[in-house]
Amino acid sequence: MTMMPSARLRLTTVDTEATVRIELRGDLDYDNADRLLAAVTGQLAGRPRLEHLHLHCAGLGTVDSMGLSVLLMIHRRTGEAGVRLHLDDRTARLDRLLTITGTLEHLTASPNGAASSPAGAGESPKNSAEARAARPTGPDGTT
Amino acid sequence: MRNDAAGLLLPAARPGTCLADVAPGWLSVAHDALRCPDTAADRAAQPPLSGVIGERSFEAHPSVRADGTVVWWLVDDTDHRLVREALHMERERTAFLAKVSSMLLSSLNLGRCMDVTAQMAADNLADAALVIAPAQGPQLPVVTCLRGGHPVLSHESVDPDDVPGLGEALRGFPPVPSRWIDPAAAPEWMVPEGFGPIGSIVVTPLPGHGVPAGALVLLRRSQTAAFTEGEEVFARLFAARAGAAMSAARLYAEQASITEILMRELLPPSLHQISGVDFAGGYRPSMDHDRVGGDFYDVHPAVVDGEASLVALGDVCGKGLEAAVLTGKIRNTLHALLPLADDHQRMISLLNTALLNSHHTRFATLVLASAVRKGNAVDLRLTSAGHPRPLILRASGAVEEARTHGTLVGALPNVPTHTAALTLAPGESCVLYTDGITEAKGGPMGGTQFGDERLQRALSECAGMPSESIVERIQMLASQWVGDGSHDDMAVVVISAPRTRHLSAVNGHTRGRFTA
Amino acid sequence: MSTRTSHRLRGDEAVRQLADELWEAVSAADEYTATDLVLRAVDDGVDPESVLLDVIAPVQGKVGREWAANRLSVAQEHAATAVNERAVAALALHPAARTAPERGRITVACVDGEWHALPARLLAEVLKLRGWRVDYLGAQVPTPHLITHLHRTAADAVALSGSIATRLPTAHAAITACQSVGAPVLVGGAAFGPDGRYARRLGADAWAPDARAAADRLAGQPLARPQPDHQQLDDLPHLADQEYTMVARGSASLVRTVFTALEDAFPAMRAYSELQREHTAEDLAHIVEFLATALYLGDEELFTGFITWTAEILTARGVPAHSLPPALGILARELKDFPRATRILRRGTDALIPLHATTAGNRA
């Protein structure tokens, strides 16, 4: 059980010439996800020599669909600017969200294509293992 | 005795005459009472005596002298009294206008505003009142009310221009003043049944805010006094309030009907059994004043009998009307792609292409389910595009996650998915839901997520329940979990293989056996 | 007259027989038999209103009682209700149940948070049979929806249904809102008390003990149009002390505090499973909710009634109710600055004493 009262998003930025690191604390959601996008857009515009953007995610609370949308937008913008996006210290919840939505690989793949996290997209969470054992499902079909 | 002033006022009162013969009754009665010592003590505590002599009004102050005679000091308070009366009337009118305002402001319904206007006008300004709204179509809506009666709505097929001043009043432009019309010229429809001969009749425009609001017609009987100038001013003040309320109500009704028409396309459909498969759905938008939001579902029956029906349930990023508009686009696109319903991956890829946009990454997650009855069972194919996995509720109460996964649509160039195929035995169900359910925060201690585990536990108690009961149960538990707190949109669709009639007949008469 | 009476008697018997058969079908979740029964009865000439009110309504009442007595599971209760609802839906489509609207317009709705829609549905169908134009808005209608609907339709009256006492504050908001837009409100359902006392306290324009009485009331003298400047505080001046607001708003933290204190008092609770802990917390939340409702209404009996009912339900389900008095004690300690809450909690504790002695005796 998570006991997570909705918290305002706080952004802490640490930078060098080629690397920007933004520490995220609080919820990345409908009410404040735009602030992260604005911060990142500002960094991209102001630093032509930027190579790496690190979003430090350990302090993230709830990430809702707007939050995920902003992460996808940041990925698109960094890609266009030739900057590599790193989602560092992801929480289990964030990984779960990225897994369910099928975006983990896209957001975390290194340029050679391999996912930086071993979490395989689409594996069943273990809590249904018992239920499956109770009765076999039908054959899986791939389209 | 009398002084000169008294002589002017009561010329008949000469010394020695009896007061009762020369003074008005109110004064002589008071005089007699004063001379009786029992009541004299009470008098002091009472307000000063007053009354009319001739055309003027006086306050009378007695002073009893030692010899028992009484001196009456009469003070002319006519002007004072007129001012007081005027003040009293103004207060009444202000109170009436305040009441009018609060009655009229409370409703945004045009019919009700017309009723209130007619009734208050009839009870306070005239013997009867008519409120006429601008025509919508060939007929003129008219609310008529007699003093002390109830407002009655009728529709008159008449030309308002036949009544002097009415046509202009209903057009709202150019501005026209109140118009007295000849009672004899008033058309029959303007005179309430049993009203009798009309004394005076006035047509007052109801000023709207940029839109015509209508007209007020006041009628007085012949024996009643005609309208004074003050009353006319007052009627105009009343008309200004009534007109503002009626034009606001008309604008609201127009907006509400536009919203209604647009909303109809966005509302989730009501579901039922199709080709031997039970479908039920439920939806609760995040905001109580909205009826739509970012979650959606649809069930499309197969075009050819014996083929699968297609269910789509999804969630677009964002909230409220903006999100609802995007759900409309997705639902229309999926509808157009129905000929490809067999091929979930193709449908999802084409939908993705239709939604991709270089300006934003507003995505949607969804599940497609193809369901077809096979004997007593239902065959299902399920594909998740970045959406929480559907749950399968078995007859035993076991809950399984369907083994499908895939990528959300509308943000990335490629959206690979993996479809799961499975079979529901009679009485078994498949539950599609949006994360508004599992991410609902609340609970007895507050701040806890409803979560997957709690959802699965709740579902396992629903084994054997009809599809609409499962939907209702899940919605109820999630809503109660949230309590009065805020929540995201919540949608649930349940696909069930109906329990067979045969089973009910065999087990039906033993309580509780059907869940076994 | 006499022929009518004898016919009526035979009708009563037939109706009782029908109710028994419907109960059999409904408790077995046998939709087809239930629907057939209802339709055949109407085919045979039984008055559709009688089928709704003398057959379906009593059966639904029995569903509720059997659930409370733990003789029906949650799933069975839901299934039985669903079957009853389908029977009502089938009956509504029967040619004998089709009537042309010749009276005014009535809006029928359930209070927000009220999920028991069947009583409202029955009333809606009865009103249709009696010639009203009915807008049935269904279960748990948020007040903004209800008011928007009234602005659009100008209904002659609103019939509001509620079975859960803790929704009464919400019901009050809905009643006042309807009245403020000029619609008189008739209320009904278990929430308003067996004698309708809470209906009066919340300023409803009328109260009816059941659907038939509600339909009769609406058929009689039209409900007067309410005054628009009425406010909620006018009905319940004691709300000025803010005790309701404080308890209702602080509910979650009150539950947490009491839960922790109970753990200290009953170390056995620490061994509870996650599920048991959640059930305990839910029970506590329920107590706080009823306390808040009693504060809102200024009615101590509402709370004592709930507490004794809870003790009985717990006992019926084989759960000892011995943690109730300490829970009330801890709550009273937390709320010691609130005189009305303190008094209500004391009354609750007193009400438990005889019950507690009995259950203890049973277990010995």
Side-chain angles (χ1 to χ4, degrees):
Chain A
M1 290 318 94
T2 46
M3 304 280 279
M4 191 62 71
S6 182
R8 246 185 102 74
L9 181 67
R10 275 186 296 156
L11 307 173
T12 314
T13 308
V14 183
D15 51 33
T16 63
E17 193 176 344
T19 302
V20 166
R21 207 177 104 92
I22 301 179
E23 194 175 324
L24 310 176
R25 297 202 152 272
D27 296 342
L28 188 62
D29 60 15
Y30 186 82
D31 296 321
N32 52 37
D34 280 348
R35 287 177 42 231
L36 175 63
L37 183 60
V40 168
T41 310
Q43 291 291 341
L44 291 175
R47 292 166 190 277
R49 277 189 239 164
L50 192 64
E51 287 169 26
H52 296 276
L53 172 67
H54 292 265
L55 298 182
H56 184 79
C57 303
L60 265 186
T62 302
V63 180
D64 73 356
S65 60
M66 280 309 257
L68 178 55
S69 174
V70 159
L71 290 179
L72 290 166
M73 196 61 187
I74 289 172
H75 186 268
R76 193 186 279 180
R77 296 243 170 104
T78 50
E80 286 161 0
V83 175
R84 210 178 137 205
L85 173 68
H86 305 263
L87 300 180
D88 295 340
D89 300 329
R90 298 189 303 274
T91 61
R93 284 176 73 197
L94 180 56
D95 264 355
R96 207 178 107 76
L97 173 71
L98 301 186
T99 304
I100 289 175
T101 52
T103 52
L104 182 73
E105 195 174 344
H106 176 80
L107 286 172
T108 61
S110 59
N112 61 26
S116 70
S117 158
E123 276 307 306
S124 319
K126 48 246 159 276
N127 57 7
S128 69
E130 281 177 36
R132 274 203 312 282
R135 182 187 174 121
T137 47
D140 281 7
T142 311
T143 53
Chain B
M1 280 188 297
R2 61 168 205 191
N3 60 14
D4 292 347
L8 281 174
L9 189 62
L10 300 169
R14 281 182 293 272
T17 53
C18 175
L19 190 64
D21 294 340
V22 296
W26 61 269
L27 188 59
S28 62
V29 168
H31 180 76
D32 292 344
L34 257 186
R35 282 152 58 105
C36 171
D38 291 346
T39 52
D42 299 344
R43 270 233 67 88
Q46 285 176 20
L49 190 68
S50 66
V52 176
I53 300 172
E55 285 186 345
R56 302 195 67 80
S57 136
F58 292 86
E59 266 183 20
H61 301 272
S63 47
V64 183
R65 298 204 302 188
D67 63 355
T69 58
V70 181
V71 176
W72 283 99
W73 303 94
L74 297 181
V75 183
D76 185 339
D77 69 346
T78 310
D79 295 339
H80 184 69
R81 173 164 296 224
L82 284 176
V83 168
R84 265 215 313 260
E85 272 170 10
L87 178 66
H88 179 70
M89 187 174 281
E90 275 310 305
R91 278 188 180 151
E92 274 197 335
R93 286 178 174 176
T94 307
F96 168 68
L97 287 179
K99 194 178 168 202
V100 166
S101 296
S102 77
M103 293 278 285
L104 287 170
L105 278 177
S106 65
S107 180
L108 284 169
N109 182 273
L110 183 59
R112 185 150 277 172
C113 284
M114 287 173 75
D115 284 358
V116 168
T117 304
Q119 188 160 21
M120 296 200 93
D123 286 347
N124 296 278
L125 301 172
D127 293 314
L130 276 71
V131 175
I132 304 167
Q136 283 182 315
Q139 291 184 317
L140 218 51
V142 178
V143 172
T144 308
C145 190
L146 282 165
R147 176 169 284 215
H150 288 287
V152 179
L153 172 70
S154 61
H155 289 89
E156 306 294 342
S157 302
V158 293
D159 184 358
D161 284 325
D162 290 347
V163 181
L166 184 59
E168 294 89 326
L170 289 180
R171 274 190 287 277
F173 192 86
V176 285
S178 298
R179 179 98 171 241
W180 293 93
I181 57 178
D182 175 9
E188 210 172 295
W189 62 269
M190 268 193 161
V191 188
E193 228 179 86
F195 185 74
I198 307 171
S200 51
I201 179 164
V202 60
V203 178
T204 303
L206 296 173
H209 294 173
V211 289
L216 174 70
V217 178
L218 300 175
L219 299 100
R220 284 194 175 175
R221 293 202 176 86
S222 33
Q223 58 266 47
T224 322
F227 294 83
T228 65
E229 198 183 324
E231 281 176 324
E232 255 194 88
V233 170
F234 183 54
R236 269 212 301 283
L237 289 176
F238 172 79
R241 281 161 176 76
M246 280 171 58
S247 61
R250 176 181 297 276
L251 283 176
Y252 178 82
E254 280 166 10
Q255 294 303 315
S257 97
I258 292 168
T259 310
E260 178 73 18
I261 291 164
L262 296 177
M263 202 74 92
R264 216 175 290 153
E265 288 295 300
L266 297 175
L267 285 174
S270 62
L271 306 184
H272 46 85
Q273 196 182 69
I274 298 168
S275 309
V277 183
D278 273 347
F279 298 98
Y283 184 43
R284 182 164 191 197
S286 60
M287 279 165 277
D288 274 347
H289 54 268
D290 282 351
R291 286 190 298 156
V292 297
D295 289 359
F296 65 93
Y297 59 79
D298 273 308
V299 176
H300 302 283
V303 184
V304 183
D305 207 35
E307 289 192 2
S309 301
L310 182 77
V311 184
L313 172 139
D315 180 359
V316 310
C317 139
K319 280 187 197 176
L321 198 54
E322 208 181 348
V325 169
L326 184 54
T327 66
K329 185 173 176 185
I330 293 173
R331 289 168 70 184
N332 285 341
T333 307
L334 285 174
H335 201 164
L337 294 174
L338 277 182
L340 309 174
D342 265 355
D343 189 344
H344 288 183
Q345 175 67 62
R346 228 179 128 205
M347 277 192 107
I348 286 167
S349 294
L350 288 168
L351 176 65
N352 185 55
T353 314
L355 295 177
L356 265 182
N357 180 311
S358 56
H359 302 299
H360 60 69
T361 44
R362 289 246 307 276
F363 62 84
T365 69
L366 73 154
V367 180
L368 295 181
S370 293
V372 65
R373 177 89 174 241
K374 283 282 159 66
N376 280 338
V378 168
D379 280 352
L380 270 183
R381 284 188 310 113
L382 297 163
T383 307
S384 157
H387 197 85
R389 298 167 175 205
L391 297 173
I392 311 301
L393 172 58
R394 296 300 183 186
S396 62
V399 177
E400 308 161 8
E401 285 184 356
R403 299 162 87 178
T404 168
H405 55 82
T407 303
L408 48 76
V409 294
L412 308 181
N414 294 307
V415 284
T417 62
H418 175 85
T419 299
L422 50 92
T423 300
L424 299 176
E428 294 185 334
S429 296
C430 168
V431 181
L432 317 180
Y433 65 96
T434 57
D435 59 10
I437 302 274
T438 42
E439 287 175 10
K441 273 186 191 171
M445 310 257 213
T448 311
Q449 273 199 356
F450 190 68
D452 297 345
E453 237 177 274
R454 204 171 273 103
L455 174 61
Q456 296 192 11
R457 201 161 64 219
L459 274 177
S460 70
E461 288 178 5
C462 296
M465 270 171 32
S467 52
E468 72 265 32
S469 303
I470 300 177
V471 167
E472 191 184 86
R473 178 97 184 135
I474 297 307
Q475 281 193 299
M476 183 178 97
L477 290 175
S479 289
Q480 288 174 347
W481 187 260
V482 170
D484 294 329
S486 64
H487 59 88
D488 202 353
D489 302 321
M490 302 184 196
V492 191
V493 164
V494 172
I495 307 165
S496 299
R499 292 189 306 119
T500 55
R501 182 156 204 179
H502 177 67
L503 259 182
S504 312
V506 171
N507 282 347
H509 290 278
T510 319
R511 216 168 29 227
R513 188 147 344 139
F514 71 91
T515 52
Chain C
M1 257 349 237
S2 64
T3 52
R4 263 189 84 152
T5 316
S6 73
H7 180 78
R8 183 78 194 275
L9 273 178
R10 272 211 311 281
D12 282 355
E13 255 167 58
V15 157
R16 246 195 313 278
Q17 171 78 20
L18 262 175
D20 288 344
E21 288 173 33
L22 182 65
W23 165 251
E24 283 298 315
V26 157
S27 57
D30 184 349
E31 177 200 344
Y32 306 105
T33 305
T35 312
D36 287 351
L37 264 171
V38 163
L39 291 180
R40 213 174 328 117
V42 179
D43 284 341
D44 292 348
V46 182
D47 180 18
E49 179 171 317
S50 184
V51 175
L52 289 168
L53 300 182
D54 303 322
V55 179
I56 296 176
V59 166
Q60 188 59 28
K62 188 166 179 183
V63 169
R65 286 195 300 279
E66 293 292 298
W67 172 80
N70 207 21
R71 289 191 289 267
L72 282 184
S73 70
V74 168
Q76 286 170 310
E77 187 238 1
H78 274 271
T81 306
V83 170
N84 250 342
E85 297 226 12
R86 288 186 185 181
V88 174
L91 181 113
L93 296 175
H94 193 283
R98 268 178 231 153
T99 37
E102 53 184 20
R103 294 182 197 244
R105 190 166 186 173
I106 308 267
T107 297
V108 180
C110 294
V111 177
D112 196 6
E114 174 64 63
W115 290 85
H116 299 92
L118 198 64
R121 177 76 197 269
L122 288 173
L123 175 62
E125 296 302 334
V126 168
L127 291 175
K128 271 186 220 164
L129 286 172
R130 294 200 184 183
W132 292 91
R133 184 167 170 206
V134 176
D135 298 294
Y136 171 65
L137 304 188
Q140 56 131 24
V141 180
T143 303
H145 287 197
L146 184 54
I147 299 308
T148 307
H149 176 82
L150 292 178
H151 279 315
R152 290 191 45 240
T153 60
D156 295 295
V158 175
L160 198 61
S161 166
S163 70
I164 312 164
T166 51
R167 304 310 298 171
L168 282 172
T170 308
H172 191 207
I175 292 167
T176 320
C178 291
Q179 290 171 336
S180 75
V181 300
V185 183
L186 175 142
V187 298
F192 296 95
D195 52 359
R197 72 176 71 169
Y198 303 130
R200 283 188 293 280
R201 199 160 306 175
L202 300 184
D205 299 283
W207 168 80
D210 55 44
R212 184 169 276 131
D216 289 346
R217 176 66 194 82
L218 289 170
Q221 177 81 12
L223 296 174
R225 185 164 296 172
Q227 291 302 311
D229 40 11
H230 179 86
Q231 290 184 2
Q232 275 156 276
L233 212 55
D234 299 342
D235 299 319
L236 305 167
H238 56 257
L239 288 181
D241 68 9
Q242 300 274 304
E243 288 198 26
Y244 165 76
T245 317
M246 305 299 273
V247 170
R249 206 184 287 158
S251 156
S253 81
L254 268 176
V255 170
R256 281 197 296 272
T257 309
V258 177
F259 192 91
T260 313
L262 271 180
E263 273 185 330
D264 291 340
F266 295 93
M269 262 179 73
R270 291 185 209 282
Y272 275 11
S273 70
E274 191 59 41
L275 198 59
Q276 282 173 308
R277 293 167 68 85
E278 195 165 302
H279 283 321
T280 308
E282 276 169 0
D283 288 344
L284 292 176
H286 234 67
I287 293 175
V288 173
E289 218 179 349
F290 265 88
L291 173 63
T293 310
L295 285 169
Y296 189 89
L297 293 163
D299 187 289
E300 295 173 8
E301 273 173 52
L302 182 103
F303 187 72
T304 52
F306 163 72
I307 286 293
T308 45
W309 179 82
T310 304
E312 282 160 15
I313 289 278
L314 287 175
T315 312
R317 280 159 172 65
V319 181
H322 58 68
S323 64
L324 275 175
L328 298 188
I330 298 162
L331 262 177
R333 200 178 66 209
E334 288 300 312
L335 298 171
K336 62 178 183 305
D337 296 332
F338 297 162
R340 285 202 298 130
T342 309
R343 203 163 53 237
I344 291 170
L345 288 165
R346 198 185 312 124
R347 287 280 311 277
T349 312
D350 292 347
L352 279 175
I353 291 167
L355 279 172
H356 195 51
T358 327
T359 48
N362 286 348
R363 222 172 295 121

